[in-house]
Amino acid sequence: MRVVQDWCRARNEACMAPGAMNALVEKLAPVADRIAPSATDMIRRDHTKVLAAFHRYDPAASPQTKRALAGTICLALEVHAQIEEEIFYPAVRELDGQMVDKSIPEHDEIRASIAALRGMDAATPEHDAALMRLMRTVMHHVADEETTMLPHAERALGARIGELGARMMKRRLELMAPRAGEIARNTAGALSRNTLLFGAGALVAASLLLRRRLR
């Protein structure tokens, strides 16, 4: 148990230290260059993850769980849209401006839906309905990108797809670092009580095993 307590204390101190997250981003940047997927693969993975999060949303869940999961979805969509608009869309615009001109209004519609959703009480049916509307909008946007824009970009951009992916990975780290606390709260809030208990039990068991090996 002492191992767990020490680890938690060190983690919290690191998170509270001034500039800690910026320092972490700088350390991870070279790693991002090596492990970053291509731009189009990253976009597809983002789509898959957010659609999976939508399907985890249960109107019968507690307001806390629904609020946390909605927060996770909203943040993921905001970061995804900003990265696309800053890095990927300008490259695509060089090939076909009409594709980008169609996608930008869809992003604006998603942002408006997110703003409305965040102002709602998660205990109300209106919150559930707003999240379902957001899901339908996102699904339509994903279908457009994955059937038209992404294949076209892969054919036309060639090797640039990898370089764009590395830039997008770095930008993601920069955008998410200041919101690490929000991400952690949403992640914990979206987990069921049984999942949390299982995770805590597994961590304690691992620490006990480690202590035995170190004796």
Side-chain angles (χ1 to χ4, degrees):
M1 183 62 72
R2 179 60 180 274
V3 175
V4 178
Q5 293 172 342
D6 290 345
W7 179 85
C8 291
R9 186 180 302 110
R11 178 201 60 190
N12 291 338
E13 289 173 354
C15 289
M16 291 186 292
M21 293 309 300
N22 290 335
L24 180 60
V25 170
E26 291 179 4
K27 289 180 180 179
L28 290 177
V31 179
D33 279 338
R34 296 194 298 271
I35 67 171
S38 71
T40 49
D41 282 348
M42 183 184 298
I43 290 169
R44 289 190 182 97
R45 291 179 191 180
D46 283 356
H47 291 168
T48 299
K49 289 177 182 177
V50 79
L51 290 178
F54 273 121
H55 287 294
R56 285 174 54 204
Y57 186 91
D58 182 1
S62 70
Q64 177 184 354
T65 298
K66 293 196 292 185
R67 187 182 308 111
L69 190 52
T72 295
I73 290 168
C74 292
L75 177 57
L77 289 171
E78 287 171 331
V79 171
H80 174 82
Q82 186 168 345
I83 291 171
E84 279 192 326
E85 290 175 6
E86 290 181 359
I87 300 171
F88 186 66
Y89 282 179
V92 175
R93 187 177 288 282
E94 297 173 10
L95 311 172
D96 189 334
Q98 289 184 344
M99 285 188 181
V100 177
D101 290 341
K102 183 177 185 298
S103 292
I104 293 294
E106 292 175 353
H107 278 186
D108 292 339
E109 183 180 352
I110 289 170
R111 289 191 179 99
S113 297
I114 288 172
L117 185 65
R118 282 186 164 145
M120 294 180 179
D121 182 352
T124 64
E126 289 77 15
H127 184 275
D128 299 335
L131 190 127
M132 293 301 109
R133 286 195 298 272
L134 175 60
M135 181 175 71
R136 287 193 291 270
T137 302
V138 170
M139 290 177 68
H140 174 77
H141 178 70
V142 166
D144 280 349
E145 283 197 343
E146 296 204 2
T147 58
T148 305
M149 182 184 289
L150 301 189
H152 181 60
E154 287 169 335
R155 290 191 298 269
L157 291 174
R160 286 187 63 194
I161 290 289
E163 180 266 334
L164 290 170
R167 288 173 55 198
M168 290 165 68
M169 177 70 81
K170 290 180 182 178
R171 186 59 176 144
R172 182 194 301 281
L173 291 171
E174 293 170 354
L175 292 173
M176 295 185 75
R179 305 177 76 169
E182 177 185 350
I183 294 169
R185 288 191 299 273
N186 287 338
T187 300
L191 295 175
S192 68
R193 182 173 179 273
N194 288 338
T195 302
L196 290 172
L197 289 174
F198 176 81
L203 187 59
V204 171
S207 69
L208 292 174
L209 179 60
L210 178 62
R211 290 177 65 184
R212 288 174 184 169
R213 290 187 175 182
L214 291 176
R215 286 176 181 171

